[in-house]
Amino acid sequence: MGLENELTPREIVEELDKYIIGQNEAKKAVAVALRNRSRRQMLPPEMRDEVAPKNILMIGPTGVGKTEIARRLAKLANAPFLKVEASKYTEVGYVGRDVESMIRDLADLSVNMLRFQYSESVKEKAIRIVEERILDILVPPLPMRTRRRKKDEGTANVVPEQDILAKTREKFRKNLRLKKLEDTIITLKVQNRAFPMIEVFSPFGFEDMELNFRELFGGMLPKSTKDRKVTVSEAREILMEEESEKLVDMDKVVAEALEKVENAGIIFLDEIDKIVGSDAKTGPDISREGVQRDILPIVEGSTVSTKYGMVRTDHILFVAAGAFHSAKPSDLIPELQGRFPIRVELKSLGKNDLKRILVEPQNALIKQYTLLLGTEEIELEFTDDSIEEIASLACQVNDQTENIGVRRLHTIMERLLGDISFLGPEMANRKVIIDANYVKRQLSDIIENRDLSRYIL
């Protein structure tokens, strides 16, 4: 595999620019990290194992784009990608999820991703098989016993009967392909997946054990079928799933999926600042440093057991992020700090950034609301001074209360367009112009009353 089919760092940044305003340093860091995944695969095997991923720590206040960068990175990386919150894990021995479960989740995600890809590759073959199975239900073939009996009796009716059956079958095939039989009710034999309740009591930190036991016992029990009345449309979906499962080589899928996890997997570890310990020696805070110590071997490189097999974490890329309001990156345990050599600081958003966020990204808020209300045949138009006013008010509220970055725009836009959204069905075929005066009328009382804006905006 060459690098010519992979996105260059500049192309990755350009893709991120379509959805995220500013934060160029963070974009460049993740772009280089993503490109390095491909570069490593081109190295000789003896050197490939020696090149460790350069993990990234993103530092910045809430609402400036850390999670959005991760979301967009997931779409750009043709690799298993998992976003988790560090705060949901607990130290081994405490009630909750152990940190190794993130690797098991990543393996699940990779297997499902590969299964879907392989299912798509056999889709045409599965469609043909499903068509024949539905036709067998709609036009049952002549039983073999009847054919033999008529042949032994020397009757000449077998051939004409088979011809009539074949013509009828082709007629049904044509109607089936033209979707004329979608609502026809047929009786389908489906696998009975129900099996007796199995209660599994397992130690803390082994939350996946129950699922594995259920799969084990489910495979040991004899498979049975039951008749189910479904439409042709529903039958097609059920049978497509069955046939795709038969056509896909799951051993190959699992092997490839685990290889992808080990060599191209990416984990976005959000809220890492929430597991920085405090001075408390009792209560929930006491396990925080323990969580860091549990994460350390996974980031350093260890082997984790999953239901698909063992997974090495040596070359999984970790991107951590945190606001670090009440803690500093240096408060992390030293060993964990050393495993995140690339540090990028995301800047707070100013008025000009908020103005650009309103209109420039492909998923800009103003574009979203314009399209949403357009479904009610309402033409929504924002003037330049209204955009200026919205950004100015968002910046003002962020300064006066809690700075939540771009999320403030969401609350302001909902408040601003609340009446129009409510009356939408009654305002069809109308054009509504949102100017600075309209923004002031809708929001001035709340903005001026600081206590009220604290709770509403």
Side-chain angles (χ1 to χ4, degrees):
M1 180 187 72
L3 291 173
E4 60 274 3
N5 295 325
E6 301 291 330
L7 290 173
T8 66
R10 187 183 298 279
E11 288 170 341
I12 294 169
V13 170
E14 286 172 358
E15 287 297 316
L16 293 174
D17 283 341
K18 293 177 182 177
Y19 298 95
I20 303 156
I21 299 299
Q23 314 301 1
N24 290 326
E25 188 183 349
K27 290 176 187 173
K28 287 179 181 177
V30 297
V32 169
L34 201 59
R35 182 68 173 185
N36 280 340
R37 325 272 21 230
S38 305
R39 289 168 176 160
R40 178 180 162 270
Q41 296 299 322
M42 303 300 296
L43 298 177
E46 63 275 8
M47 183 57 70
R48 193 182 304 157
D49 287 339
E50 301 299 324
V51 177
K54 304 299 185 288
N55 299 320
I56 301 167
L57 178 60
M58 294 195 290
I59 306 157
T62 184
V64 296
K66 300 188 299 295
T67 305
E68 188 65 16
I69 286 174
R71 284 182 60 231
R72 298 301 161 184
L73 188 64
K75 295 188 177 182
L76 291 175
N78 185 24
F81 182 101
L82 182 71
K83 177 188 176 294
V84 296
E85 283 74 41
S87 54
K88 78 177 181 181
Y89 297 104
T90 59
E91 184 181 356
V92 171
Y94 284 76
V95 177
R97 302 202 77 194
D98 68 292
V99 296
E100 287 189 351
S101 65
M102 72 174 75
I103 305 300
R104 293 192 284 270
D105 290 343
L106 189 65
D108 281 335
L109 189 147
S110 183
V111 168
N112 290 333
M113 184 176 82
L114 264 293
R115 182 193 285 130
F116 176 78
Q117 289 178 8
Y118 276 91
S119 295
E120 286 296 303
S121 68
V122 298
K123 188 174 181 180
E124 291 301 320
K125 188 174 181 181
I127 287 172
R128 291 196 297 271
I129 296 172
V130 167
E131 184 181 89
E132 295 301 326
R133 287 186 63 180
I134 293 175
L135 285 171
D136 286 343
I137 298 170
L138 291 169
V139 189
L142 199 64
M144 289 298 297
R145 192 180 304 156
T146 305
R147 294 185 202 174
R148 289 196 193 98
R149 187 173 65 248
K150 289 188 176 182
K151 188 176 179 183
D152 292 341
E153 293 170 357
T155 179
N157 292 332
V158 167
V159 174
E161 204 168 326
Q162 284 180 315
D163 287 345
I164 293 169
L165 200 66
K167 288 177 182 176
T168 305
R169 190 179 180 91
E170 289 308 309
K171 183 179 178 182
F172 272 88
R173 188 191 304 277
K174 183 179 178 182
N175 288 334
L176 198 60
R177 290 178 177 177
L178 293 173
K179 308 287 186 184
K180 290 183 178 180
L181 304 173
E182 295 299 282
D183 297 327
T184 304
I185 302 294
I186 60 174
T187 302
L188 186 68
K189 287 193 178 296
V190 297
Q191 188 176 322
N192 189 0
R193 298 180 183 274
F195 51 88
M197 284 292 294
I198 302 170
E199 291 295 332
V200 179
F201 298 93
S202 60
F204 297 131
F206 291 85
E207 67 282 343
D208 293 329
M209 188 175 287
E210 180 178 353
L211 180 62
N212 293 341
F213 270 111
R214 286 181 180 275
E215 289 179 354
L216 173 64
F217 287 115
M220 292 169 60
L221 293 171
K223 290 184 175 144
S224 60
T225 59
K226 62 179 180 180
D227 288 342
R228 182 176 162 193
K229 298 281 187 184
V230 294
T231 64
V232 167
S233 177
E234 292 169 335
R236 188 182 284 107
E237 291 182 16
I238 295 168
L239 294 175
M240 275 295 292
E241 187 177 339
E242 275 186 27
E243 294 303 327
S244 295
E245 196 173 316
K246 291 176 188 175
L247 292 169
V248 171
D249 183 351
M250 282 306 297
D251 290 337
K252 183 179 178 182
V253 167
V254 169
E256 191 174 332
L258 294 188
E259 191 273 334
K260 269 187 170 290
V261 168
E262 292 184 340
N263 292 298
I266 302 173
I267 291 180
F268 182 78
L269 199 57
D270 205 2
E271 297 183 353
I272 196 168
D273 56 317
K274 301 293 194 302
I275 59 169
V276 175
S278 66
D279 295 331
K281 298 299 180 188
T282 58
D285 288 335
I286 197 170
S287 73
R288 291 184 175 184
E289 187 171 312
V291 175
Q292 292 184 55
R293 295 198 179 280
D294 288 346
I295 289 175
L296 181 61
I298 294 177
V299 179
E300 282 183 328
S302 60
T303 303
V304 176
S305 175
T306 74
K307 63 184 177 183
Y308 305 106
M310 307 303 285
V311 173
R312 288 178 57 209
T313 68
D314 302 64
H315 297 289
I316 293 175
L317 174 68
F318 288 84
V319 181
F324 289 97
H325 286 310
S326 55
K328 305 182 296 295
S330 57
D331 292 332
L332 291 164
I333 60 173
E335 300 93 330
L336 195 58
Q337 289 181 50
R339 286 295 162 178
F340 289 89
I342 301 175
R343 307 280 178 89
V344 290
E345 188 168 352
L346 285 82
K347 299 174 177 59
S348 296
L349 300 172
K351 177 182 169 182
N352 288 333
D353 294 318
L354 295 176
K355 276 174 60 180
R356 293 180 61 198
I357 288 167
L358 280 169
V359 294
E360 288 185 21
Q362 288 190 4
N363 61 340
L365 277 178
I366 284 179
K367 294 177 185 175
Q368 291 182 31
Y369 281 100
T370 302
L371 291 172
L372 280 172
L373 290 169
T375 62
E376 302 271 13
E377 297 183 359
I378 298 171
E379 187 180 346
L380 204 59
E381 182 181 321
F382 286 81
T383 62
D384 291 342
D385 61 348
S386 71
I387 295 168
E388 181 90 19
E389 188 66 23
I390 292 168
S392 179
L393 292 177
C395 200
Q396 182 183 334
V397 177
N398 274 342
D399 290 340
Q400 292 176 350
T401 60
E402 187 74 20
N403 187 347
I404 59 172
V406 73
R407 293 186 178 93
R408 186 71 65 192
L409 290 175
H410 289 266
T411 57
I412 285 181
M413 290 292 286
E414 278 296 317
R415 186 76 184 178
L416 177 66
L417 299 173
D419 291 342
I420 299 173
S421 295
F422 181 78
L423 297 171
E426 303 162 29
M427 298 173 63
N429 299 311
R430 283 183 57 182
K431 181 174 183 176
V432 180
I433 297 176
I434 308 294
D435 57 15
N437 289 330
Y438 182 89
V439 175
K440 289 173 183 174
R441 282 199 310 273
Q442 293 292 107
L443 302 174
S444 59
D445 292 343
I446 299 170
I447 298 296
E448 289 169 7
N449 187 332
R450 183 175 295 187
D451 290 335
L452 194 58
S453 65
R454 186 183 298 273
Y455 293 103
I456 295 180
L457 296 180

